[in-house]
Every structure is written in structure tokens, then in C-alpha cells.
Amino acid sequence: MKQTKSEQKKSTRHAGERHLTLGRGLRALFGSVWRHKYIWVIALFLIHVGFVDNNSFWRRYQLVAENEATMREIKRYEEKFEADRSQLRHLKTDPEALIRIARENHRMKAEGEDIYYIIENSDSI
């Protein structure tokens, strides 16, 4: 189907109107953004300071959480150290405790002594 010249002008006019409408929309959007430029700058600054930067609030939160976990681990090791220190002090002062630990933990025996170990299976009735 061939279009007449008047139909071609109408279709061209409609395309031009769409182009003008698109241009007006972009101008309106740009004008709206330009009108609120300080809000956009503040929002970008908050995003940068909050999440993007190496010293961001998010990274700071992660470091505080990691520090708390490390402090809990240090406390656990200090408690274990104190328990071991008291056990060592007890072993140095009491020879009977030394013999008991040697027999229980290291399976040592005295001369002329027989030791029998009874191993129970957990799946037996």
C-alpha cells in the first residue's frame, strides 16, 4: 500500500510529536533532578560513606563484630591457660596427682602391674 503525501506528512508529524514529547520528558526529568541537586548530592555522599568507602560504616560494623569475636576467643584461651596453670601447680606439689594423671591419661603402669581396658561399643545391646 502506497501512502499519499498527506498521509506521509501526518505520520512524519506524529513521529516529530513523539520526539518532542520525549525531549520534553527528558527536560522535565533533568529539571527535576537539577532542582533537587542538593538532595542527590547528600544521598550519594551517604551511600559512599555508608557502603562504598574503605572506612565505611558497614566496614566499621564488620570490624567491631570481628573484634568482639576475637575478644571472646582471647577470654576462652585465658580461662584454659589458668586451668592448665592450676593443674600444673597441683602436679608439681602432689606426687600422687602426677601418678594418677600418668595412669589415666597416658596409660602408664607400675612394675609388676597388669592393666585391662574394657571398651564398650555404643551400638551393643
Side-chain angles (χ1 to χ4, degrees), residues 67-84:
N67 190 23
E68 288 174 357
T70 304
M71 294 305 283
R72 283 191 303 268
E73 189 175 350
I74 287 172
K75 185 178 178 183
R76 185 172 46 100
Y77 282 126
E78 284 176 348
E79 290 171 355
K80 186 175 182 334
F81 176 74
E82 286 301 320
D84 289 344

Side-chain angles (χ1 to χ4, degrees), residues 7-104:
E7 289 174 350
Q8 287 177 352
K9 284 182 183 180
K10 283 183 184 178
S11 67
T12 306
R13 188 177 336 134
H14 290 299
E17 288 175 3
R18 278 184 269 156
H19 179 62
L20 288 176
T21 306
L22 182 63
R24 285 184 200 143
L26 286 175
R27 271 191 237 127
L29 178 66
F30 182 71
S32 173
V33 169
W34 184 254
R35 197 171 331 130
H36 303 292
K37 61 187 170 193
Y38 296 111
I39 293 173
W40 287 105
V41 168
I42 290 170
L44 289 174
F45 173 75
L46 290 176
I47 289 171
H48 179 73
V49 169
F51 300 102
V52 178
D53 193 26
N54 285 338
N55 300 317
S56 68
F57 292 125
W58 178 250
R59 180 69 179 139
R60 184 175 173 90
Y61 171 75
Q62 289 175 334
L63 288 174
V64 167
E66 184 179 327
N67 190 23
E68 288 174 357
T70 304
M71 294 305 283
R72 283 191 303 268
E73 189 175 350
I74 287 172
K75 185 178 178 183
R76 185 172 46 100
Y77 282 126
E78 284 176 348
E79 290 171 355
K80 186 175 182 334
F81 176 74
E82 286 301 320
D84 289 344
R85 177 187 282 177
S86 67
Q87 185 179 13
L88 181 63
R89 189 177 315 118
H90 184 67
L91 289 175
K92 284 183 178 179
T93 58
D94 188 14
E96 291 296 321
L98 183 63
I99 293 170
R100 184 178 50 83
I101 294 293
R103 288 177 182 233
E104 289 176 2

Side-chain angles (χ1 to χ4, degrees), residues 108-125:
M108 300 177 104
K109 63 178 187 166
E111 282 188 39
E113 186 176 68
D114 291 331
I115 299 176
Y116 298 98
Y117 294 102
I118 301 171
I119 300 172
E120 295 182 14
N121 292 334
S122 60
D123 58 349
S124 65
I125 297 178

